[in-house]
């Protein structure tokens, strides 16, 4: 008899997670699925997207670096508010996330 | 659970808390439960969205993870503490305020409560987000963040901190890539590589810049903490199953790719962490998880002038006495803020602090446990202290400060031509450390490049960026 095929190793399988159906949000016009409870940064990683900001001086791409709210590299404009740390923000259905360019001060985040 | 300013108790001339605990990781949780057990009215605050801090970080309940324990050691310690905390919350002995970052800790004797805490929400921006609380005692259990040493290409997307890869996996069940090189220094790397492989990633290389021999030179300190050995062996076994073998004395000295990581260059290091020419090897990968130990997070205390000590790994920690008292009256500290030492030590220190704040004599067994674990932590710190030769893997255009995009050449110019001799002067001349993260990512590297002997405590008025609108809401003091 053939041995049972091993379950694929995935983060969800490891934690035996059975999340509800994904909802979606928009990232630069793309529809991105997100599992309930995932941060915006996590949902973007799940799609293989690693960058959602360009730097002020060199215009270089950046995304999540520290994952815990300390480095501010994961900033994006979320629902019109620039400078949001996407590693801390839960993705919510219908959120609109756009790549933050430069200082992100276009709409004055005071 | 408190969720909005209008619900806050103890604020705005209210009754105030006996104890405010800042940080809901192992130290903070152990402390708040122990203090509530002893009859103190407490508030527990955390900038994150849930309890547990970084160590017990776990998937949001909405992800319905049946086995969050598979990503943790001693998960039952956390669930037991959380259950006891919930009991105290139910009867109003403890309030919990998550998603709130304490940005200012003000001595406030006038109200009869020595402390006023100002917090700002870390949730989506909305209307009023600041909350103020009063407390008679404050326990700082703010933990640590990772130390980063820059190298060419470390700003490319796909390079993430080792702890960040771990945090995103634990909380969001995601990986930064399929082939993830893990590099840097410290025992966290073993845990990270073990969880990444268990979650399905391939780890083509696990590189530790230091050697492990240092541990063997102090067998006494090792033998006194058998739990640490078991942990090491468990990670080791998990890694062996996936054919991952840690290579000591090796580091990633460059990352390749234009818009994201495609490969890294690895080199063998000499004892001082200087890359040995001719040993370079290229490894294809789509992500790099990197970190060089942890840095205690102390801003709230150092701003108040609390005394610090230099840990053998070169970081600064708060100086506390046998009862976890800092040198600032009414301010206590536990866990990584007193020097990085792991969850078990943090739990012991949190409980010790609580008993002292409640006016009780410290339990002897707890004191003994702390002494043993602290001795091991100091040994660990000395083993993984970065060697001075790491600066040789920088190239002139390597960005040292990620936020302000300051290259190594500009820092060298400030030091060699303009005479800067410490991180503060370099900061003024180059803006390194003046960006969003306030030097959390580049601070240790800049201090080293400035040739400063030992780090100097950061003193900043606020512990995190605060919106002007939130500041405008504060009453004049
Ligand atoms: S990734 Fe560092 S703040 Fe979000």
């Amino acid at each position: 008899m053939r041995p049972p095929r091993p379950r694929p190793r995935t983060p969800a399988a490891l934690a035996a997670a059975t999340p509800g159906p994904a909802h979606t949000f928009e990232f630069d016009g793309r529809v991105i699925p997100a599992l309930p409870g995932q941060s915006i940064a996590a949902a973007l990683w799940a799609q293989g997207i690693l960058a959602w900001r360009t730097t002020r001086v060199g215009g270089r791409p950046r995304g999540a670096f520290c994952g815990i709210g300390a480095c501010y590299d994961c900033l994006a404009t979320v629902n019109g508010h620039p400078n949001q740390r996407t590693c801390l923000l839960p993705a919510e259905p219908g959120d609109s996330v756009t790549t933050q360019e430069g200082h992100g001060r276009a709409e004055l985040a005071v | 659970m408190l969720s909005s300013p209008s619900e806050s108790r103890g604020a705005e001339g209210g009754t105030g808390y006996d104890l405010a605990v800042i940080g809901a990781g192992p130290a903070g949780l152990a402390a708040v439960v122990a203090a509530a057990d002893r009859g103190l009215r407490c508030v527990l605050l955390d900038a994150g969205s849930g309890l547990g801090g970084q160590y017990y970080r776990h998937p949001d309940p909405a992800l319905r993870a049946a086995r969050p324990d598979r990503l943790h050691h001693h998960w039952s310690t956390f669930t037991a503490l959380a259950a006891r905390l919930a009991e105290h919350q139910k009867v109003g002995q403890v309030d919990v305020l998550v998603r709130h970052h304490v940005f200012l800790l003000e001595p406030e004797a006038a109200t009869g409560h020595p402390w006023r805490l100002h917090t700002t929400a870390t949730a989506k921006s909305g209307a009023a987000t600041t909350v103020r609380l009063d407390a008679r005692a404050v326990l700082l259990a703010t933990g640590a963040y990772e130390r980063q040493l820059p190298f060419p290409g470390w700003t490319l997307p796909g390079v993430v901190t080792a702890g960040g890869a771990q945090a995103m996996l634990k909380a969001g069940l995601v990986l930064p890539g399929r082939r993830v090189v893990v590099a840097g220094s410290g025992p966290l790397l073993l845990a990270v590589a073990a969880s990444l492989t268990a979650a399905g990633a391939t780890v083509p290389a696990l590189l530790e810049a230091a050697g492990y021999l240092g541990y063997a030179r102090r067998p006494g300190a090792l033998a006194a903490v058998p739990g640490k050995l078991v942990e090491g062996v468990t990670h080791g076994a998990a890694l062996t199953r996936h054919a991952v073998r840690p290579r000591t004395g090796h580091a990633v000295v460059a990352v390749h790719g234009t818009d994201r990581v495609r490969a890294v260059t690895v080199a063998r290091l000499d004892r001082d962490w200087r890359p040995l020419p001719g040993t370079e090897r290229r490894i294809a990968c789509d992500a790099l998880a990197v970190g060089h130990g942890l840095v205690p997070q102390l801003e709230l205390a150092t701003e108040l002038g609390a005394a610090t000590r230099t840990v053998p790994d070169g970081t600064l920690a708060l100086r506390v006495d046998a009862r976890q008292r800092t040198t600032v009256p009414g301010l206590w500290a536990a866990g990584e803020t007193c020097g990085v030492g792991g969850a078990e030590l943090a739990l012991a220190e949190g409980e010790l602090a609580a008993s002292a704040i409640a006016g009780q004599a410290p339990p002897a067994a707890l004191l003994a446990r702390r002494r043993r674990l602290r001795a091991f932590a100091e040994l660990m710190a000395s083993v993984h202290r970065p060697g001075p030769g790491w600066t040789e893997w920088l190239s002139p255009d390597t960005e040292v400060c990620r936020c302000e995009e300051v290259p190594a050449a500009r820092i060298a110019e400030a030091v060699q031509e303009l005479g800067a001799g410490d991180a503060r002067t370099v900061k003024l001349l180059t803006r390194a450390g003046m960006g969003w993260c306030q030097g959390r990512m580049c601070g240790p590297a800049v201090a080293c490049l400035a040739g400063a002997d030992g780090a100097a405590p950061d003193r900043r008025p606020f512990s995190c960026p605060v919106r002007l609108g939130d500041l405008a809401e504060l009453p004049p003091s």
Side-chain angles (χ1 to χ4, degrees), chain A residues 1-79:
Chain A
M1 224 171 69
R2 277 220 313 234
R5 206 154 10 125
R7 260 187 319 154
R9 280 185 295 127
T10 66
L14 175 65
T18 51
H23 64 83
T24 62
F25 68 95
E26 207 174 89
F27 167 66
D28 287 348
R30 264 175 81 173
V31 175
I32 305 290
L35 297 174
Q38 272 180 333
S39 66
I40 292 172
L44 291 170
W45 272 24
Q47 297 307 303
I49 301 168
L50 293 175
W52 49 86
R53 173 167 93 80
T54 58
T55 62
R56 289 169 291 179
V57 181
R60 301 294 300 147
R62 296 276 177 88
F65 180 60
C66 76
I68 62 167
C71 74
Y72 291 74
D73 249 334
C74 67
L75 299 178
T77 300
V78 180
N79 300 334

